Amino acid sequence: MFHYTKPVTASVEEAITALEESLKSEKFGVLWQFDIKDKLQEKGLEFDKKFVVLEVCNPGEAKKVLEEESLASYFLPCKVVVYEEDGQTKIGMPKPTYLIEMLENEQLKGLAADIENRLIGCIDQVK
C-alpha cells in the first residue's frame, strides 16, 4: 500500500496541533500548511470537507537524501494530510519507501525506511 492512514478521535485542528508537537520530537518541522477547503471556497467552489496538507521536513535528513540523489527533491518535503471523512478525522501520508522505490537507489531505501518509521511514530502519537 502506498500510504499510511490512521483514524483519530481528535478534531482536525486538535490533530494538527498534536501532530506538530510529536513531529518536533523527531526534529521535523512544518514548513507550510495548505487548507484545501479554504482555498477552494476562496476560488468560489463549494467544498465542505476539511483537508489540510502539511509539508514537513527534517533538515538533516533532507540534506542526506539530496546529497545522495537530486531527483529525490521531487518528493520533498514530506506531505502529511489531516482530513475529515464520514465524520472521522484521519491523518495520512504517502509512504517514503514507496516513493523512493521509483529511484532504484539502495542507499536511499534505508533512509526512506527510517524516515517513514519516524513519521508513522509521530502520527501514531496523535489520539
Side-chain angles (χ1 to χ4, degrees):
M1 193 172 312
F2 83 95
H3 66 94
Y4 178 79
T5 303
K6 177 190 177 195
V8 298
T9 57
S11 69
V12 168
E13 295 78 13
E14 292 167 338
I16 290 169
T17 300
L19 182 60
E20 287 176 325
E21 284 304 309
S22 68
L23 287 166
K24 287 178 188 175
S25 70
E26 290 292 338
K27 297 184 176 31
F28 283 89
V30 176
L31 302 174
W32 186 59
Q33 266 191 49
F34 177 62
D35 188 316
I36 294 174
K37 176 183 173 183
D38 286 352
K39 184 54 76 177
L40 290 175
Q41 288 181 346
E42 177 185 303
K43 300 296 181 185
L45 299 169
E46 198 58 39
F47 191 78
D48 292 327
K49 288 187 176 184
K50 292 183 180 181
F51 277 92
V52 180
V53 179
L54 307 175
E55 294 202 341
V56 304
C57 182
N58 175 311
E61 299 298 345
K63 179 180 182 290
K64 287 181 204 173
V65 169
L66 293 172
E67 286 176 341
E68 178 67 28
E69 176 62 65
S70 297
L71 289 175
S73 64
Y74 293 9
F75 310 133
L76 299 178
C78 295
K79 307 265 187 294
V80 180
V81 181
V82 182
Y83 62 101
E84 223 172 49
E85 185 173 64
D86 300 323
Q88 173 79 62
T89 301
K90 295 182 180 180
I91 304 172
M93 67 173 192
K95 289 182 176 179
T97 54
Y98 187 87
L99 296 171
I100 218 71
E101 190 72 35
M102 292 183 271
L103 296 178
E104 300 176 3
N105 180 316
E106 290 303 315
Q107 176 69 22
L108 286 178
K109 288 180 183 180
L111 286 169
D114 178 58
I115 291 165
E116 180 176 304
N117 289 333
R118 290 163 57 201
L119 288 173
I120 287 172
C122 292
I123 291 170
D124 283 348
Q125 288 183 38
V126 179
K127 305 297 177 199

